[in-house]
Amino acid sequence: MSRWAFVDDFTITGESKLMTVTRQQWHSRTAFIMAAVGSAVGLGNVWRFPYVAYSSGGGAFLIPYFVALFTAGIPMLILEMGLGQRMQRGAPLAFGGVRKRLQWFGWWAAGLSAAIVIYYTTILAWAWVYLWHSVGLSWGDKPEAFFFETVLRRTSGPGEIGGLVPALVLGIGLTWLTIYLILRKGVRSVSNVVMITVPLPMVLLTVLLIRGLTLPGAMDGIRYYLTPDFSKLTDLKIWLKAYGQIFFSLSLASGVMIGYGSYLGKKAEITNSALITGLANCGTSFFAGFVVFSMLGYLAQVQGLPVPDVTTSGTGLAFVAFPTAISQLPALNAVFGVIFFLTLLTLGIDSAFALQEAFTTGFHDKWHIPPEKLARYFCLVAFPASLIFVTGGGFYWFDIVDKWICDFGLVISGLAQCLAVGFLYPVRDFRDYLNGQSEVRLGPWWIWMLRYVTPGVLLVILVGNLMQEITVGYEGYPRWATLIGGWGSVLFWVVLGYWLWKRPATVELD
Ligand code: PFF
């Protein structure tokens, strides 16, 4: 007998001639937690957290970080997983179940996840190309020029698109093919794949850590990473950074956790699973900091520079600083290069397919389109759409879209989500429901967080981001570019979401 404890068929109900659908389910609680951890643990843990921590008070940053985890991260994770599980639907129809009109909002929020996966695959394309180049350490002694000129073929600005970069097209094509193959059987294949893609990067990170810690200078790097600077804690910005990092890192507000929660059985435990997911994710970030800073400490020593001078985040860390450190290793450079880029690929791929699933699950819920078709259609549309990011001007568009989706889209979505569930949904009843089947009891604090604390923080972040955008703009990009790429990528889903909301369902919506 199949070990899959699900049925994925449907029945035609007598009067309405609409289908009622039985959903696929995770084959175990472990599979669900693994998938949730896989979606949360991504590139953000390795290339963003260590730098944010270092530049925001080192060891002292852990205080706002854990405060943010417990006052916003975990409460929202519980909300998202719980809502999906209770409604047995992904974000669009789960919100539609709160209030009919909110289905529109649900489509918009899920649309953000579609937008993220379309540009997130670009980073995986870079990682594929670097995996290839690791073998011969092709970046030589000019890793920065290699990244921007040889690999990206970066033009002078977003107005100059340049041509498609063939190696990156191949990389992004490979990424979409992988996503298609993983998602075509729906949660069935995801349950299996995450058993590899979640532990493997942990093992690889451990290998890199051992290498890093045994290098001279490693301890200088770690000291920079962790030396607490408590004076920074009085700075509001540091607190907002902590919330922003938690938010992105736990993949909140994009419908991902709602979608994944919806594949749980009706009796499934939620609260403790959310707690485990949140702690596993933050633990991985903290751990990754040791890997990154031991290597940077070594690099600083080899180059005779202070640690801050070799320290960057984001693309600069993964595709410039790390390759430099890898070239400087005393032995087995290519092996460690391959390990590092394989780590990035395995970290990113499960975040990518979680994002796609968050969007496509709405189509399954509303029109009962089978997983294989959804995976195929989505990849066939998203692959060409993502090609813009692998042109010569693609890097700029990537940067703009990422900034707007994260700083505006996800923040607005999180805010609306907390308010919708906090005030429009019988939230006390929801809490009782979760307590009825959870290993950890939720007190009234949970409702307080959802109603006031999290939306309050998100509102401050949103206003701050808006003011910054209005007064200074972003990275000197021309307004037309941020208008099209930035606001366009956020608002596009409002229109598409409206259209999808208005299409009649072929599945009975209860
Ligand atoms: N949490 C992922 C990371 O830290 O890299 C990125 C991410 C995935 C963000 C899914 C948002 C999301 F919806």
Side-chain angles (χ1 to χ4, degrees):
M1 201 184 98
S2 156
R3 64 199 174 98
W4 302 104
F6 64 80
V7 262
D8 187 28
D9 56 3
F10 54 85
T11 50
I12 307 285
T13 54
E15 273 177 21
S16 62
K17 295 270 186 288
L18 289 172
M19 295 177 279
T20 40
V21 177
T22 318
R23 286 178 86 69
Q24 289 192 354
Q25 284 180 9
W26 302 107
H27 70 69
S28 66
R29 183 180 177 197
T30 314
F32 165 66
I33 293 178
M34 284 284 218
V37 171
S39 137
V41 174
L43 302 162
N45 300 59
V46 172
W47 84 19
R48 200 153 169 257
F49 174 83
Y51 182 81
V52 172
Y54 148 78
S55 61
S56 313
F61 181 71
L62 293 178
I63 297 172
Y65 185 68
F66 277 96
V67 170
L69 174 67
F70 286 102
T71 57
I74 304 261
M76 279 192 71
L77 257 187
I78 297 171
L79 179 160
E80 296 199 3
M81 289 175 172
L83 192 70
Q85 187 260 4
R86 193 178 196 195
M87 300 282 190
Q88 295 282 297
R89 302 277 189 273
L93 298 195
F95 281 107
V98 174
R99 281 279 194 288
K100 280 211 163 61
R101 223 165 226 288
L102 285 180
Q103 191 192 127
W104 181 8
F105 163 72
W107 280 113
W108 173 70
L112 296 180
S113 68
I116 301 178
V117 68
I118 290 172
Y119 73 76
Y120 204 81
T121 44
T122 316
I123 315 172
L124 298 177
W126 302 340
W128 278 116
V129 171
Y130 266 79
L131 188 66
W132 170 257
H133 285 300
S134 291
V135 178
L137 302 176
S138 326
W139 48 83
D141 53 3
K142 294 198 175 57
E144 187 157 357
F146 182 78
F147 179 52
F148 288 114
E149 289 162 26
T150 313
V151 175
L152 300 187
R153 299 208 193 149
R154 195 172 62 161
T155 59
S156 60
E160 192 192 338
I161 288 292
L164 285 167
V165 182
L168 293 178
V169 172
L170 198 67
I172 212 162
L174 211 57
T175 306
W176 284 113
L177 183 67
T178 315
I179 295 178
Y180 164 73
L181 292 175
I182 293 172
L183 286 184
R184 76 198 157 126
K185 294 209 176 100
V187 172
R188 227 187 291 199
S189 31
V190 172
S191 283
N192 282 340
V193 169
V194 292
M195 294 296 169
I196 299 163
T197 56
V198 176
L200 185 60
M202 307 290 175
V203 173
L204 297 175
L205 275 175
T206 310
V207 174
L208 290 171
L209 180 71
I210 295 170
R211 176 64 285 202
L213 286 180
T214 48
L215 288 167
M219 284 308 143
D220 296 338
I222 307 262
R223 213 166 296 128
Y224 263 94
Y225 170 41
L226 289 182
T227 304
D229 176 0
F230 291 102
S231 69
K232 295 235 173 168
L233 296 187
T234 50
D235 184 355
L236 177 70
K237 276 205 210 101
I238 300 292
W239 287 82
L240 297 181
K241 261 194 194 171
Y243 276 89
Q245 174 62 20
I246 281 289
F247 211 64
F248 180 79
S249 193
L250 290 177
S251 311
L252 296 170
S254 52
V256 166
M257 294 299 176
I258 302 179
Y260 271 6
S262 73
Y263 295 113
L264 284 167
K266 289 217 164 133
K267 291 264 171 286
E269 203 284 341
I270 296 293
T271 316
N272 206 14
S273 303
L275 207 63
I276 295 170
T277 306
L279 290 174
N281 175 63
C282 295
T284 309
S285 290
F286 189 54
F287 184 73
F290 287 88
V291 179
V292 168
F293 274 87
S294 61
M295 284 282 189
L296 293 180
Y298 170 66
L299 185 59
Q301 186 169 86
V302 171
Q303 299 192 335
L305 294 168
V307 178
D309 287 9
V310 294
T311 312
T312 53
S313 78
T315 50
L317 173 78
F319 297 99
V320 180
F322 242 85
T324 314
I326 286 164
S327 295
Q328 305 280 357
L329 290 176
L332 297 175
N333 314 53
V335 174
F336 284 104
V338 168
I339 291 180
F340 178 67
F341 290 105
L342 211 55
T343 310
L344 288 190
L345 280 170
T346 49
L347 277 175
I349 198 72
D350 32 25
S351 299
F353 61 68
L355 285 158
Q356 174 165 329
E357 182 66 24
F359 183 64
T360 54
T361 191
F363 293 80
H364 180 77
D365 293 341
K366 196 164 176 179
W367 297 290
H368 199 254
I369 305 173
E372 193 282 324
K373 245 190 190 167
L374 278 177
R376 181 159 31 108
Y377 289 156
F378 185 90
C379 291
L380 283 177
V381 175
F383 169 54
S386 66
L387 289 179
I388 181 75
F389 300 113
V390 290
T391 59
F395 183 79
Y396 303 108
W397 292 102
F398 165 86
D399 192 24
I400 294 171
V401 174
D402 175 52
K403 159 85 182 170
W404 257 259
I405 295 278
C406 291
D407 283 9
F408 298 104
L410 292 182
V411 177
I412 296 171
S413 169
L415 186 64
Q417 178 172 304
C418 286
L419 296 179
V421 176
F423 293 101
L424 302 177
Y425 193 57
V427 68
R428 281 194 188 82
D429 172 67
F430 187 26
R431 195 192 72 191
D432 293 343
Y433 166 82
L434 293 172
N435 280 341
Q437 56 199 43
S438 289
E439 289 159 3
V440 182
R441 279 187 69 79
L442 287 173
W445 64 271
W446 182 64
I447 297 176
W448 269 85
M449 295 302 159
L450 289 186
R451 280 189 167 167
Y452 310 108
V453 178
T454 314
V457 174
L458 289 174
L459 193 65
V460 176
I461 295 180
L462 181 63
V463 171
N465 291 344
L466 272 175
M467 302 262 285
Q468 171 93 8
E469 149 58 9
I470 292 164
T471 52
V472 200
Y474 178 59
E475 298 276 333
Y477 289 119
R479 287 273 171 199
W480 64 264
T482 56
L483 214 63
I484 298 174
W487 292 115
S489 59
V490 172
L491 297 177
F492 170 75
W493 306 98
V494 176
V495 181
L496 189 71
Y498 181 82
W499 187 79
L500 290 168
W501 170 42
K502 288 295 177 188
R503 297 301 95 201
T506 54
V507 168
E508 186 154 36
L509 308 181
D510 42 33

